[in-house]
């Protein structure tokens, strides 16, 4: 049952990513893929928060699977982020590629840590 | 060949089209002019691919070994997904415009499955755990291998996608040349 919910939540996460990315993309005026960055940073923040809640026994671990592995795992994406970095390199926007790869990973780890820290307050 | 292609790109002109008045409603946002991310059918397609992508990731994450608490499954999943997405998107973009069957496959397999199969949030939390456990070397190695591996894999995937497209195009030209000779 949990696995079925996990799969469904993964689908919802992917759909959410598609919509959020499309909305941001329609408004963004930069070559930097801000949609994917925003999605990955916000998803990491939420997963940090959820991990803290599960670790502190505020929520059941099956919620951690459905919402963490399913919803947030499906919402955030690594393949698109890597692909977009390569496209930036190919169009000779080297600095954007560096910001997109290193900036995203730094922001995501900090966001996850911040989310986790919120549950310790 | 190039000429035939450019002719196909031209919008079809219907007889009597010139005499029709300019449609003033053509720019108003309606169902026909909505972006694809607001089209329910396309969203459902992405969701369907996403269900299987998340399921596949979960299945692999509990099957693959985690040596010394080091998150190898996520790294392998992410790098393989980056390769597959690169190959898919390059192959599709070389096939032609993002319409019809191409768009169907891109949204179902690319945005849906590969997008949900790979994950950034787990990578971030895994790295956080390693830093938290006073294993900065393990954390930095994991992050560096993910980033460099992901970009290298996507690049390799793009190369494979382009190579495959050239292979198919060459085969099609040969078939065309043979059938062309036979018809003479």
């Amino acid at each position: 049952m949990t696995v079925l919910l996990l799969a469904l939540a993964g689908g919802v996460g992917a759909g959410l990513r598609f919509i959020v990315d499309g909305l941001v993309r329609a408004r963004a005026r930069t070559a930097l893929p801000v949609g994917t960055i925003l999605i990955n940073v916000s998803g990491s923040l939420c997963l940090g928060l959820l991990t803290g809640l599960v670790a502190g026994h505020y929520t059941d671990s099956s919620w951690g699977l459905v919402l963490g592995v399913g919803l947030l795992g499906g919402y955030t994406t690594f393949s698109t982020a890597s692909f977009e970095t390569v496209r930036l390199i190919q169009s000779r926007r080297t600095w954007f590629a560096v910001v997109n790869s290193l900036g995203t990973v730094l922001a995501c780890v900090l966001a996850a840590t911040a989310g986790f820290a919120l549950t310790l307050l | 060949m190039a000429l035939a292609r450019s002719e196909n790109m031209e919008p079809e002109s219907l007889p009597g089209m010139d005499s029709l008045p300019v449609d003033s409603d053509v720019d108003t946002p309606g169902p026909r002019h909505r972006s694809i991310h607001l089209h329910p059918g396309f969203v459902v397609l992405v969701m369907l691919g996403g269900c299987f992508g998340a399921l596949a990731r979960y299945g692999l994450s509990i099957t693959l070994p985690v040596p010394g608490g080091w998150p190898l499954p996520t790294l392998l999943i992410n790098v393989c997904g980056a390769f597959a997405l690169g190959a898919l998107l390059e192959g599709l973009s070389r096939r032609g415009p993002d319409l019809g069957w191409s768009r169907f496959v891109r949204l179902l397999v690319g945005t849906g499955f590969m997008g949900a199969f790979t994950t950034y949030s787990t990578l971030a939390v895994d790295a956080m755990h390693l830093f938290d456990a006073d294993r900065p070397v393990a954390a930095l190695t994991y992050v560096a291998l993910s980033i460099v591996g992901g970009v290298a894999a996507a690049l390799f995937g793009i190369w494979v996608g382009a190579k495959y497209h050239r292979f198919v195009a060459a085969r099609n030209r040969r078939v065309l040349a043979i059938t062309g000779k036979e018809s003479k």
Side-chain angles (χ1 to χ4, degrees):
Chain A
M1 187 60 192
T2 307
V3 176
L4 187 71
L5 285 176
L6 183 152
L8 288 175
V12 172
L16 211 58
R17 164 164 46 80
F18 182 51
I19 295 170
V20 170
D21 184 55
L23 290 175
V24 174
R25 201 180 283 264
R27 284 158 184 77
R29 293 273 176 276
T30 166
L32 206 63
V34 276
T36 310
I37 296 173
L38 182 82
I39 286 162
N40 284 336
V41 174
S42 61
S44 297
L45 178 84
C46 293
L47 191 66
L49 192 72
L50 186 71
T51 307
L53 291 176
V54 173
H57 301 289
Y58 295 105
T59 37
D60 193 56
S61 64
S62 57
W63 278 110
L65 277 180
V66 173
L67 296 180
V69 179
L71 186 76
L72 295 170
Y75 175 64
T76 60
T77 181
F78 180 83
S79 50
T80 307
S82 301
F83 181 80
E84 285 166 343
T85 299
V86 173
R87 283 291 188 237
L88 288 172
I89 296 171
Q90 285 180 326
S91 59
R92 305 201 185 286
R93 292 185 170 100
T94 316
W95 279 110
F96 274 7
V98 171
V99 168
N100 192 46
S101 53
L102 295 184
T104 301
V105 78
L106 190 69
C108 284
V109 175
L110 287 176
T113 310
F116 191 87
L118 278 177
T119 63
L120 302 175
L121 293 177
Chain B
M1 188 68 187
L3 200 78
R5 194 185 172 83
S6 68
E7 273 173 6
N8 283 340
M9 300 292 262
E10 294 288 328
E12 281 181 69
S13 56
L14 296 168
M17 191 78 150
D18 299 335
S19 58
L20 287 174
V22 176
D23 190 353
S24 58
D25 287 339
V26 86
D27 281 332
T28 53
R32 273 195 57 186
H33 300 279
R34 265 192 307 200
S35 312
I36 61 165
H37 62 274
L38 296 176
H39 191 293
F42 291 133
V43 176
V44 167
L45 205 59
V46 171
M47 288 175 76
L48 187 69
C51 287
F52 288 100
L55 201 60
R57 172 165 42 79
Y58 176 65
L60 281 175
S61 72
I62 54 172
T63 326
L64 293 170
V66 185
W70 202 77
L72 182 68
T74 314
L75 176 71
L76 290 178
I77 287 165
N78 280 343
V79 171
C80 291
F83 167 80
L85 188 74
L88 179 80
L89 294 186
E90 183 68 14
L92 288 176
S93 73
R94 280 175 183 256
R95 253 184 104 228
D98 182 43
L99 293 166
W101 181 241
S102 280
R103 180 184 279 178
F104 181 88
V105 174
R106 180 177 70 84
L107 294 179
L108 182 72
V109 184
T111 311
F113 186 91
M114 287 307 163
F117 179 62
T118 60
T119 179
Y120 220 113
S121 49
T122 307
L123 183 152
V125 168
D126 283 345
M128 176 191 83
H129 278 315
L130 287 172
F131 278 119
D132 202 40
D134 271 332
R135 298 174 65 190
V137 177
L140 288 175
T141 313
Y142 172 60
V143 168
L145 282 178
S146 295
I147 299 304
V148 176
V151 171
L155 200 61
F156 183 51
I158 289 172
W159 182 80
V160 169
K163 198 88 179 161
Y164 176 76
H165 176 80
R166 276 197 291 272
F167 167 75
V168 172
R171 193 186 59 191
N172 287 349
R173 268 199 303 275
R174 276 201 305 276
V175 171
L176 209 69
I178 293 163
T179 50
K181 272 175 197 162
E182 278 173 353
S183 65
K184 271 179 189 170

